[in-house]
Amino acid sequence: MPADDSPTGLSQPLYLCVADELGQLIAQGQLAAGERLPSVRELSQRRGLSPTTALAALRALEQRGWVEARPQSGYYVRPKLRRLAEPATSRPPSAARPVTVGSIAARLLAASNEPGIIGFGAAIPEADWYPVATLQRLASQAARRHRLLIGEYSPFFGLPALRHQIARRYAELGIAVDDDEVVITNGCMEAINLALRTVAAPGAVIAVESPTYYGLLQLIEAQGMQALEIPTHARDGLSVEALATALTGPQGAQIRACVVTPAFCNPIGALMPEAAREALVALCRQHRIALIEDDVYGELDFAGQRPLPARYWDRSGNVLLCGSFSKSLAPGARIGWLLAGRHRDAVRMRKFTTSAGTALVYQHALSAYLETQAYPRHLVRLRRLCATNVARYIEAIERYFPAGTRVTRPSGGFVVWVELPRGTDTLALYERALFRRINFAPGPLFSASGRYRNCLRLNAGRQWTPDVDGALQALGRLVEAG
Ligand SMILES: Cc1ncc(COP(=O)(O)O)c(C=O)c1O
């Protein structure tokens, strides 16, 4: 089975792929300012390119302003205009509160479906970054072969073969999971929903990263729970010390769970260091609160070293691990999973009363896909695409956004969090941008306390094109105009 749907794995001309790779080396500092790039001859020999393609790649980089041509000498990396700082650690209020992000979220979701929008709003990569044709073929094969997929109920907790494949992938990380523990869900959202409702009741306080994924805030809102926002660092994620302080504070006894995305959280893309992940597991256990781990971005690390989920350090069954294929393989399939540790029986009961199963066709297709070596190969390509694109988006923000802007530098995933100069109102900016057919996710969506009004999240999973470049430039101008 082919790993990719196109020979290069990219839906753009070869010279642009080469320009992207060189651009990534520049963005990551491996080719420093003032350094000479390989000549046309060197580039074509090393990469097996025609001289015309090599020259086109260098010219594309020149057009982007990353390199300059020096007569008789070659192409050189231009000094960076500036490097924007990262946002500081967040400082949310120390009291929990009910959540009301539903109306902003509804507006955002509606706008992301409008035709002709340059969509930096929803966190989703290009469809052709996924092996769509292969999965389509596997899905139709499954539908043809297994007549009973339509004619009978699916197993309530998921297709055994798929549950086995998921358990096997965790085993490869050194995490022992029984196939039986895996409950297949309708995406990661259903997994988090089941986990939350299993360990907490309406009125309970749930500790979350600040900022955090708005879907989680909406779940907390829908359950009548309260969110306690915990300070979060742009690179290192949730502060375990701050959570410890909250647990011994006035509302400590009401905290029932902590929901965290240790690897490349949304919207800031931070990765908690290993020691912090381990300490978090120990802290939650010590205070007898459940740790709900959202691992939906875990496969998307740029360095190819998949971070260990917090569950790795769990010896007491206190971690409820939620995942899905939505970011890494097939967003439309809506296939996720929940490993609920010691809560597994309660979760099974809830799964039954919530959706009584998950449609089988894509479970078969994904299970067949996972049986081959196609998935690891696909991930190599997807990570490279994410890394290249994130670097280009950050570069464009540095070029086009006004002084005082800050930006995150995630090491995985495909979202970028931008802190704009004080006084910028991204809810107002959102309307102005939408008028120009540009969409993004305004900051307050990611907070229970209406914070981050001067912040926005950009989906960097859109393939780089002149339109994307133009839209980021236009957005920078709108910010500047205030
Ligand atoms: C952090 C996080 N968790 C969960 C989800 C939802 O995942 P799924 O589409 O599998 O339901 C998302 C989607 O954006 C997300 O960003």
Side-chain angles (χ1 to χ4, degrees):
M1 180 191 311
D4 301 335
D5 292 324
S6 72
T8 58
L10 289 164
S11 57
Q12 58 174 356
L14 183 58
Y15 77 93
L16 285 181
C17 301
V18 177
D20 277 353
E21 280 174 35
L22 291 169
Q24 200 187 332
L25 294 179
I26 297 172
Q28 291 171 345
Q30 289 170 40
L31 272 171
E35 217 172 299
R36 185 172 156 278
L37 270 78
S39 67
V40 170
R41 177 137 49 97
E42 286 162 346
L43 198 55
S44 46
Q45 277 171 359
R46 272 192 225 159
R47 305 285 185 102
L49 306 170
S50 73
T52 323
T53 304
L55 182 62
L58 292 168
R59 287 210 170 127
L61 281 176
E62 187 185 15
Q63 256 176 17
R64 289 175 198 164
W66 293 27
V67 303
E68 61 194 7
R70 294 190 194 156
Q72 319 289 315
S73 178
Y75 285 87
Y76 289 79
V77 179
R78 278 179 58 182
K80 236 183 197 290
L81 298 175
R82 58 194 173 143
R83 186 180 162 93
L84 295 177
E86 287 174 285
T89 301
S90 63
R91 287 192 298 161
S94 57
R97 56 186 71 209
V99 181
T100 52
V101 293
S103 55
I104 315 178
R107 170 98 181 95
L108 174 82
L109 293 175
S112 61
N113 289 331
E114 284 175 24
I117 291 265
I118 305 253
F120 302 130
I124 181 163
E126 292 288 336
D128 62 4
W129 289 12
Y130 297 116
V132 172
T134 305
L135 292 172
Q136 272 177 321
R137 198 172 57 246
L138 291 171
S140 36
Q141 265 170 18
R144 274 199 312 273
R145 274 189 203 151
H146 306 277
R147 200 174 56 85
L148 294 181
L149 289 193
I150 305 289
E152 273 191 354
Y153 278 130
S154 60
F156 298 130
F157 310 121
L159 184 72
L162 179 62
R163 294 160 73 195
H164 176 68
Q165 289 299 332
I166 290 167
R168 184 182 61 79
R169 283 197 66 79
Y170 284 112
E172 282 168 10
L173 295 175
I175 301 175
V177 175
D178 256 9
D179 295 6
D180 255 8
E181 188 189 343
V182 182
V183 170
I184 302 294
T185 57
N186 293 292
C188 192
M189 267 304 259
E190 191 187 36
I192 304 171
N193 189 341
L194 293 171
L196 254 188
R197 286 163 50 224
T198 300
V199 300
V205 172
I206 310 297
V208 299
E209 289 141 332
S210 181
T212 193
Y213 170 48
Y214 62 84
L216 168 62
L217 290 175
Q218 283 180 282
L219 279 179
I220 293 176
E221 179 174 354
Q223 294 307 317
M225 298 171 186
Q226 299 186 60
L228 176 61
E229 296 178 72
I230 304 294
T232 301
H233 186 270
R235 225 164 243 232
D236 294 341
L238 180 110
S239 160
V240 180
E241 296 78 49
L243 177 63
T245 307
L247 282 165
T248 51
Q251 287 180 301
Q254 285 163 262
I255 301 177
R256 303 293 350 126
C258 173
V259 186
V260 62
T261 307
F264 319 122
C265 59
N266 176 4
I268 56 177
L271 170 63
M272 289 179 74
E274 249 182 35
R277 277 172 264 161
E278 185 174 2
L280 178 64
V281 173
L283 181 71
C284 290
R285 176 164 183 228
Q286 181 198 340
H287 287 268
R288 294 169 195 276
I289 67 164
L291 178 57
I292 300 177
E293 175 173 31
D294 179 344
D295 190 35
V296 79
Y297 291 98
E299 299 279 14
L300 298 185
D301 63 311
F302 300 159
Q305 284 159 357
R306 196 240 197 268
L308 286 172
R311 157 84 189 230
Y312 177 83
W313 290 277
D314 180 30
R315 301 281 168 270
S316 61
N318 192 39
V319 175
L320 297 96
L321 176 54
C322 308
S324 82
F325 294 111
S326 300
K327 309 296 174 183
S328 58
L329 184 60
R334 307 301 307 136
I335 303 288
W337 57 89
L338 173 55
L339 316 179
R342 66 189 167 81
H343 300 282
R344 70 163 86 175
D345 292 339
V347 156
R348 280 164 165 250
M349 176 74 93
R350 276 215 163 65
K351 168 66 187 173
F352 180 73
T353 55
T354 304
S355 57
T358 298
L360 268 180
V361 175
Y362 286 119
Q363 293 193 57
H364 272 281
L366 295 184
S367 158
Y369 187 79
L370 292 174
E371 274 167 24
T372 70
Q373 274 313 300
Y375 190 40
R377 284 204 303 270
H378 156 70
L379 285 175
V380 169
R381 166 183 169 243
L382 181 64
R383 289 171 181 141
R384 197 188 68 221
L385 287 165
C386 290
T388 308
N389 249 44
V390 164
R392 293 189 74 169
Y393 275 64
I394 293 173
E395 180 79 27
I397 292 161
E398 294 190 313
R399 209 163 278 284
Y400 300 137
F401 281 51
T405 300
R406 291 168 174 248
V407 64
T408 51
R409 291 172 196 283
S411 53
F414 46 80
V415 293
V416 177
W417 179 248
V418 187
E419 189 180 300
L420 300 170
R422 266 171 192 277
T424 312
D425 177 356
T426 52
L427 290 176
L429 181 72
Y430 182 71
E431 299 301 334
R432 278 183 280 137
L434 214 49
F435 187 70
R436 306 277 304 262
R437 315 303 289 159
I438 302 168
N439 186 11
F440 61 81
L445 201 52
F446 302 92
S447 165
S449 54
R451 294 204 159 221
Y452 311 119
R453 207 147 174 136
N454 64 327
C455 298
L456 57 86
R457 184 197 70 185
L458 289 176
N459 169 32
R462 275 191 74 99
Q463 183 69 45
W464 190 265
T465 61
D467 280 355
V468 166
D469 189 49
L472 288 173
Q473 195 164 359
L475 194 55
R477 277 203 220 102
L478 286 176
V479 175
E480 206 152 31

